[in-house]
Amino acid sequence: MPQLKQPPSLESIVLQSLQRFILTLGQKLLGKVCSGTPATVLPTRWGMPSFLVRENCSKSSELEELRYFLHPGLPLNLSNSVTSAVLEAIATVISRAKCTYDGFSKSGDDCCRDIIENMISVALHAQVARVDLLQWPWFIGEILLKHLGNFQHLEVLKLWPGSWSPVWTTVVEMLENGHCLLNNLVSFSMRCHCTDKILQVLAHSTRLQYLDVMFSVDVTDTCVSSLLQLNNLKVVNMCSTSLSAQGYTELLIGLPHLSKLVWFDLNCHALGNMKMSPLSLHSYEASRVSIDHLIILVHICPYLTQVSLHWVEADLSVLGALKHLQEVKLAQCSAVNSNLKGLLEIIGYNIISLELHELRDVDLLMIGALCVNLKKMSLVCDLQSVEESFLGIKTPLFKELKDLKFGSEYSECLFFNCTNIRKLEISRCQNFNDNVVATLLTKNPLKQLQVLSIAHSGQLSMKTVHLLLESCDNLRVLEGLDSWGGVSKLQVMELCMEMKRKNMDIEILWKKPLHISW
């Protein structure tokens, strides 16, 4: 059975109490003005005319008092924790509002909208160090954008366009004109909407180490001179921008500490033009890879620890010369024709992460025997049938594997051997059912498993849930039950209530949360 919850810290208790207070206050304020009927309206937008709403409907003495209560005298790290806790409570208030069906995106009463906006404004303070739009619902993110110019010590700024709104036009103008204080930035992400002018302003952010402007077509070679002033840059994502091979080459040469530059080098056009070597680059991504491409790569980038290659038409054993290589990601090719075995025979002992997407003829036995130190593996590919071959293997395989993402036909030889797995994500495994789980837990009880996600696989029922709870002593998260087929939402709710009564430290989630890595 899962372990019992441990007593929370004093700080956690205080923050939870604050969240309950904000939730109660928000529902009380909305209850005074909310129509209770969802209606689609043209939402109020920053920089656009507001609706004619009841005068002063959003003003509240409680909110004015709260403004002076939350932050004065608090240390910066605690003040940021208070802000996050309050915003989480406001997100709950939004989800329970009766006048909107989409979190005030395109529906909701104007008075309720104004109250929520004022509550968010009260929660913010000038010393906010981190703004991440992915962390919050759309409406909270839009209010954060309105206050972007007020934050004086931003270190992390992640601007993710969940949906288009006129706010983005204003934000772009603010950033281009230098109206936001970005000198302390360590990490900046702005996908889709970044421009050369914004990067020109960022040239003064000398502490910047991480930059992500993926999908921003207005980022061109013009930005190269600005980025070359950022000598502390370590990771840059320029994928799907208008950067050319020449611009890519200039960045590689001019940024001495750059370890990762995400930009798919098609047919080795960029590296092929390099006149100097070796580079200090640690990560490289390319598509339509030929043997000449790999030879150039090994010569110019001998310190690579990570490679990501798509549409490989070459002998991968050439990469065996990369003695520091630890992470390999391959997609859209044949494991046999590209000689994956040849590569792993040379440096398989050094590989700790292996991701194979849409590969053909993948030999699990070969991977397990050669990659003895493998800790993370992702398999969304066609596997060779080697179940009988595994029966003759006496040495346990995959014993170091901690993280597995599996999207192929179920393989006993793999799952029976992963005795130390901590995180397991299964999808598109149509022959994964209750009987398979029962047999698996008999052979491998998954005692170290902490996070399990099963989605869009075979027919699973509450029998599997109870088997997992009985066997997996360290299980903390079980998610994706909405796609199991044999489980109802009511059953999951009842089980969650039972786990809460027993004080079990486990989350059982009906839907698999959306995780976006950027």
Side-chain angles (χ1 to χ4, degrees), residues 39-55:
T40 301
V41 295
L42 292 173
T44 303
R45 292 289 186 263
W46 186 29
M48 298 181 67
S50 299
F51 292 106
L52 297 175
V53 298
R54 189 163 65 245
E55 186 176 1

Side-chain angles (χ1 to χ4, degrees), residues 5-40:
K5 290 183 178 179
Q6 299 301 308
S9 64
L10 180 59
E11 178 181 325
S12 177
I13 293 174
V14 172
L15 292 176
Q16 289 175 12
S17 299
L18 179 60
Q19 286 181 319
R20 287 193 291 269
F21 170 73
I22 295 297
L23 180 59
T24 302
L25 176 61
Q27 291 178 324
K28 173 186 173 183
L29 294 176
L30 291 189
K32 295 178 179 179
V33 298
C34 185
S35 67
T37 304
T40 301

Side-chain angles (χ1 to χ4, degrees), residues 274-292:
M274 296 289 293
K275 303 299 182 182
M276 61 171 289
S277 65
L279 295 175
S280 60
L281 205 63
H282 290 173
S283 178
Y284 179 75
E285 302 190 20
S287 60
R288 304 201 181 281
V289 182
S290 66
I291 187 66
D292 293 335

Side-chain angles (χ1 to χ4, degrees), residues 358-427:
E358 305 300 333
L359 252 68
R360 303 180 301 278
D361 308 317
V362 175
D363 186 346
L364 269 179
L365 178 58
M366 176 267 295
I367 294 174
L370 297 178
C371 301
V372 294
N373 295 309
L374 193 63
K375 291 179 171 55
K376 180 179 180 180
M377 181 165 64
S378 177
L379 296 175
V380 184
C381 52
D382 295 329
L383 303 177
Q384 290 183 354
S385 179
V386 292
E387 303 293 333
E388 295 181 359
S389 302
F390 264 81
L391 298 177
I393 302 296
K394 296 182 179 180
T395 304
L397 304 179
F398 302 108
K399 62 180 180 179
E400 297 295 327
L401 194 63
K402 304 292 192 301
D403 188 335
L404 173 62
K405 182 177 181 180
F406 189 81
S408 304
E409 186 175 351
Y410 177 71
S411 170
E412 286 187 346
C413 61
L414 173 62
F415 282 84
F416 285 4
N417 281 276
C418 296
T419 54
N420 290 309
I421 199 79
R422 263 64 165 180
K423 182 178 180 181
L424 177 58
E425 182 177 343
I426 301 172
S427 63

Side-chain angles (χ1 to χ4, degrees), residues 492-507:
V492 174
M493 292 174 62
E494 291 175 348
L495 180 62
C496 289
M497 292 176 63
E498 180 184 352
M499 293 294 102
K500 185 176 181 179
R501 284 195 300 269
K502 293 181 178 180
N503 197 35
M504 295 296 180
D505 188 14
I506 184 172
E507 282 188 288

Side-chain angles (χ1 to χ4, degrees), residues 262-333:
V262 182
W263 182 88
F264 276 101
D265 190 4
L266 185 63
N267 295 323
C268 196
H269 287 163
L271 284 188
N273 295 327
M274 296 289 293
K275 303 299 182 182
M276 61 171 289
S277 65
L279 295 175
S280 60
L281 205 63
H282 290 173
S283 178
Y284 179 75
E285 302 190 20
S287 60
R288 304 201 181 281
V289 182
S290 66
I291 187 66
D292 293 335
H293 191 162
L294 295 184
I295 293 173
I296 294 173
L297 179 64
V298 168
H299 175 68
I300 294 180
C301 305
Y303 305 114
L304 286 177
T305 61
Q306 180 184 53
V307 294
S308 178
L309 306 176
H310 296 227
W311 292 292
V312 180
E313 298 176 354
D315 186 347
L316 289 171
S317 64
V318 174
L319 297 180
L322 299 174
K323 301 305 180 184
H324 303 281
L325 190 61
Q326 294 183 318
E327 301 179 32
V328 176
K329 180 177 180 179
L330 302 173
Q332 301 290 340
C333 61

